[in-house]
Amino acid sequence: MKLSKLFLVALGSVSVLVSCTNDDNPAVDSNTNETNTYEKGVFILNEGSSGQGSVSFLGNDLSKFTQDVYGAVNPGDLFGQYVQSMFFDGDYAYIIAGGSNKINVVNRKTFKLVAKIESGLAKPRYGVVKDGKAYVVNANTYPNFGDPADAIGNTDDYVAVINLATNSVESTIPLNNTGNRIILENGKLYVSEPYKSTKILVVNPATNLLETPIVVGEGADTMEVNNGILYVLKSSYGNPSEIVKVDLLDSSMTNVVFPESLNDAKNLDIYENKIYYTVDTSVYAMDLTASSASTTAILSYTSSSAYGKMYGFAVNNGRIFIADGGDFTANSKAYVYSLNGTLQKQVAVGVGPNGFYFNN
């Protein structure tokens, strides 16, 4: 679930580790008697609301589409509430259901359930993999948004270190602040802190300790790394949006401050030497080396989102992918555009689509 509405919901916890079947045999479509595989395309995560989340699949040719992959392959199994994100390792995909404190492990080609990780997690958010271990940020508790003294976040968030051979949490790394997104670069973990914090946290997985943080200013939203440069999109309430470029070799920084017309920019993604970003229901792009942000939209669309803006975004395979969150009570839509803004595909997905994960 996006942090912008997480505090509105009281999330439950689950504390039992469940081992499931290792049956990785391909699923068979009962209508066509053909083997279903999901190797060439994109998984669309649907957050869900008070019920179960889901995952949709759209093939690279934009013709093959399955609205609920997990339900089709694993009928009757409870997937989990508030499906947050996904990461891959080898033959497996790990799907984080933050509202159920659960990670579903599936075969990434067949989506057949392999195992569930349900112990040692507290509102898991995003994860990465290094050397046979997954590092998953857990938001644990959330700030008291009505109390200015607590506005910078909490001190009980942590990174869960998961042994992928046993699918169990073997240790935790305290963050001493609110954690959200995580990326891996050159052996280090970089964790964003939302809201009033000014830092990107740096974790050394060799020691499981925090190192000197990177001070980028308030409102870090999305991050990407390209050629040793960490790109951080900031969107602090009441202040101009900007991109901070951090050279991870020497920690030097340059900033691109956005004009007022691009306030509340979100969803940074990098593709083929361009930085893509969004404002409300519009998509923009600028060169990696640009010193100013483009104010000319590539495309704009009409949203049915409760927020009046897109909820999920990605650029990959020569296309722009947009997920419209809808009203979080009924199924919503995902859109695929060309890089010049031409609509190529529209599909009805699940409730609250929030992200795209490419299985190529």
Side-chain angles (χ1 to χ4, degrees), residues 224-260:
E224 292 286 341
V225 173
N226 184 274
N227 291 329
I229 305 296
L230 176 67
Y231 295 80
V232 181
L233 177 60
K234 292 169 43 186
S235 188
S236 177
Y237 180 75
N239 296 310
S241 300
E242 62 182 290
I243 291 174
V244 182
K245 305 177 185 180
V246 184
D247 189 322
L248 296 178
L249 285 178
D250 60 14
S251 297
S252 61
M253 299 184 194
T254 57
N255 296 50
V256 178
V257 179
F258 287 13
E260 185 177 351

Side-chain angles (χ1 to χ4, degrees), residues 35-51:
T35 299
N36 279 334
T37 58
Y38 304 98
E39 296 178 73
K40 305 292 183 181
V42 56
F43 295 116
I44 306 166
L45 265 61
N46 304 302
E47 187 174 291
S49 54
S50 58

Side-chain angles (χ1 to χ4, degrees), residues 210-291:
L210 291 171
E211 296 190 345
T212 303
I214 302 170
V215 179
V216 296
E218 289 183 7
D221 181 48
T222 43
M223 307 181 294
E224 292 286 341
V225 173
N226 184 274
N227 291 329
I229 305 296
L230 176 67
Y231 295 80
V232 181
L233 177 60
K234 292 169 43 186
S235 188
S236 177
Y237 180 75
N239 296 310
S241 300
E242 62 182 290
I243 291 174
V244 182
K245 305 177 185 180
V246 184
D247 189 322
L248 296 178
L249 285 178
D250 60 14
S251 297
S252 61
M253 299 184 194
T254 57
N255 296 50
V256 178
V257 179
F258 287 13
E260 185 177 351
S261 61
L262 297 178
N263 278 358
D264 199 28
K266 303 290 185 184
N267 299 315
L268 179 147
D269 204 355
I270 295 175
Y271 181 74
E272 291 189 343
N273 296 317
K274 285 188 179 293
I275 301 171
Y276 291 82
Y277 49 96
T278 71
V279 178
D280 297 330
T281 58
S282 297
V283 178
Y284 302 82
M286 57 186 279
D287 291 337
L288 280 174
T289 57
S291 58

